[in-house]
Amino acid sequence: MLVIKEFQFNPFSENTYVVSDNETGECAIIDAGCYYADEQDTLSYYISDNKLNVKYLLATHLHLDHSFGDRYVYNMYGIGLTAHPNDAFLLENMEEQASMFGIQMPAPPIPISHNIKEGDIFKIGKYTLQAIHVPGHSPGSIVYYCQEERVAFGGDVLFRGSIGRTDLSGGNYNQLITGIREKLLTLPENTVVYSGHGPGTTIGFEKKQNPYLQ
């Protein structure tokens, strides 16, 4: 069984996911947003209590609220950051971004260790996550799709009844809409999308109800 654990972390109420195969214990951390020490503890306690083996640290994109915990995960588990290279520029001014919100980074960001490209496959036990590149919210936004379970981890690309904002550095509204229509709305309608903030949704619901996609 594919086990999906959702955590809501940091001042931006970001969703961090631990996705694991219950037979092998292999797991991926998607968007390590843990900011406070108790959030870091919550993440590591879940991993240790369930005897999980962290295989990947996957980023849907590299905005600061999805990256606060990357260095903690690296220090704790020795796992480098996997992300799309088009978002690497966001790491360079992350501390400046944090100061704009009146907060400090809990630790300096870590560089990308493994560059993602469209179609890359990440194996977690008997399950696979496929990388789908959907730029527009950020240039390197990635959706991770598990065909076997028909679930997708979309970061800030697609929300229930909405889409990711495109007014940040590197954002592009037309690019985002095109990517969602061509790469996500073509997935099975019963595909569950786990978003980077707020509740999840399904492809079928968004095809029929999302005002941005009509």
Side-chain angles (χ1 to χ4, degrees), residues 35 62-65 67-68 71 88-110:
Y35 180 83
L62 294 178
H63 286 151
L64 78 170
D65 52 328
S67 307
F68 286 135
R71 183 168 290 277
F89 77 99
L90 292 169
L91 299 173
E92 299 171 5
N93 64 351
M94 195 167 285
E95 294 191 26
E96 182 179 327
Q97 294 176 51
S99 67
M100 291 172 58
F101 290 101
I103 60 176
Q104 291 184 329
M105 290 293 295
I110 59 174

Side-chain angles (χ1 to χ4, degrees), residues 163-203:
I163 59 171
R165 60 188 295 183
T166 57
D167 60 334
L168 302 173
S169 181
N172 186 303
Y173 177 83
N174 291 331
Q175 192 177 43
L176 179 60
I177 293 296
T178 299
I180 293 172
R181 285 176 172 161
E182 294 182 354
K183 294 185 176 183
L184 298 187
L185 298 191
T186 54
L187 298 175
E189 291 197 356
N190 63 347
T191 300
V192 175
V193 180
Y194 291 88
S195 300
H197 302 269
T201 186
T202 65
I203 293 298

Side-chain angles (χ1 to χ4, degrees), residues 62-157:
L62 294 178
H63 286 151
L64 78 170
D65 52 328
H66 294 257
S67 307
F68 286 135
D70 287 349
R71 183 168 290 277
Y72 173 77
V73 171
Y74 175 76
N75 290 341
M76 189 76 178
Y77 304 104
I79 302 298
L81 175 63
T82 297
H84 196 284
N86 287 3
D87 268 11
F89 77 99
L90 292 169
L91 299 173
E92 299 171 5
N93 64 351
M94 195 167 285
E95 294 191 26
E96 182 179 327
Q97 294 176 51
S99 67
M100 291 172 58
F101 290 101
I103 60 176
Q104 291 184 329
M105 290 293 295
I110 59 174
I112 299 173
S113 296
H114 308 285
N115 287 324
I116 292 179
K117 64 181 184 300
E118 174 82 16
D120 280 354
I121 295 292
F122 302 93
K123 293 186 177 180
I124 304 169
K126 64 182 178 181
Y127 300 98
T128 57
L129 297 176
Q130 180 181 353
I132 303 174
H133 184 208
V134 188
H137 174 64
S138 74
S141 287
I142 293 290
V143 174
Y144 298 96
Y145 174 54
C146 178
Q147 182 176 6
E148 301 99 323
E149 294 295 299
R150 293 192 176 177
V151 297
F153 301 89
D156 291 357
V157 168

